[in-house]
Amino acid sequence: MTAAVLVTVDDRYADPLHLFLGSLHRHYPRHPDVLVCTADWSAALHDRFRRLFPFVTWIDVADLEWNTGPPMKHEEAFDRSVMYARWAAFTSRFDQYDQILYLVVDTLVLEPLDALVNSSQMVAFEELFPHKTTLVFTDRTDAALQALLTADGLDDHDWNIAANAGVIVLPRSVRTPERLAAAWRITSRNGPHLMWGDQSLLNGWMA
């Protein structure tokens, strides 16, 4: 089985990336391929990180089929369109990998992650944000949103439970063209109603 760890990061998160890659290599020395998708990085920043972490494959977000989406509405400081690049894992660019483990860049790896890398099922963990009414949508009582959800048979879905998008296991079985198309459809139809940008997209897609 071929596997990869996927990370997406812009220049504002270069320091956390340094800590992440160091912890990954130290505590998970037999890690699979590491793919880092970068946005707005200077040549000097790239050169420094390439010297420090020669085991990383660097990918320019601009070269990916999916690299942007509806803005994060919860807090402007968290609005980083580079996060949408994780959805590029569903595109043919990453077909060589049977398994992709997406990790948010402010993660510290303290032990091997083989249990996740070898999972045969998609894995995500529960979001613990306390304000349940805005876990996914800005206003889930909005009439236009309700009409969209009803059309998709989701009017009775429990939106008080949601997944966090910081750790996601994506086996090949879920990374199909049909499921990628479904994500695109949610983005175009429900985009104005998504509170957490790409994380809200993930929860709409999983529903």
Side-chain angles (χ1 to χ4, degrees):
M1 181 186 73
T2 57
V5 173
L6 176 66
V7 183
T8 59
V9 59
D10 61 17
D11 58 342
R12 291 174 288 183
Y13 267 52
D15 288 340
L17 178 66
H18 189 289
L19 295 174
F20 165 78
L21 292 173
S23 71
L24 176 72
H25 205 49
R26 173 176 295 183
H27 298 294
Y28 190 14
R30 296 172 66 90
H31 59 73
D33 291 354
V34 179
L35 315 175
V36 178
C37 303
T38 63
D40 304 321
W41 275 39
S42 67
L45 189 58
H46 265 300
D47 288 344
R48 178 164 67 89
F49 271 78
R50 285 192 177 99
R51 288 194 302 270
L52 290 170
F53 305 106
F55 58 87
V56 170
T57 297
W58 301 93
I59 301 171
D60 191 331
V61 164
D63 295 333
L64 298 176
E65 292 179 47
W66 194 331
N67 53 29
T68 189
M72 160 90 72
K73 298 182 180 67
H74 171 68
E75 188 172 333
E76 186 175 353
F78 295 155
D79 182 22
R80 293 176 167 87
S81 62
V82 67
M83 302 304 292
Y84 280 95
R86 76 184 91 196
W87 286 91
F90 286 74
T91 67
S92 59
R93 173 72 178 263
F94 299 92
D95 277 355
Q96 72 189 87
Y97 297 106
D98 299 308
Q99 193 87 325
I100 294 178
L101 170 60
Y102 175 84
L103 294 175
V104 71
V105 72
D106 56 3
T107 300
L108 287 178
V109 177
L110 302 179
E111 61 184 49
L113 301 175
D114 291 323
L116 290 173
V117 169
N118 295 324
S119 174
S120 61
Q121 297 180 325
M122 180 179 174
V123 177
F125 296 92
E126 186 175 356
E127 172 61 62
L128 299 179
F129 185 68
H131 304 297
K132 302 297 185 183
T133 58
T134 55
L135 271 178
V136 179
F137 303 112
T138 54
D139 178 8
R140 65 189 188 194
T141 66
D142 180 85
L145 173 62
Q146 286 298 315
L148 292 173
L149 296 178
T150 298
D152 289 339
L154 295 173
D155 45 329
D156 292 327
H157 183 78
D158 185 0
W159 298 107
N160 290 317
I161 300 173
N164 182 281
V167 178
I168 313 172
V169 177
L170 296 169
R172 185 184 298 278
S173 59
V174 304
R175 293 169 15 236
T176 65
E178 294 78 15
R179 289 178 172 174
L180 176 62
W184 275 116
R185 178 174 176 270
I186 293 168
T187 301
S188 61
R189 293 173 75 247
N190 298 3
H193 304 284
L194 301 180
M195 171 64 87
W196 297 90
D198 66 297
Q199 181 167 296
S200 291
L201 169 59
L202 172 68
N203 281 280
W205 177 79
M206 291 175 62

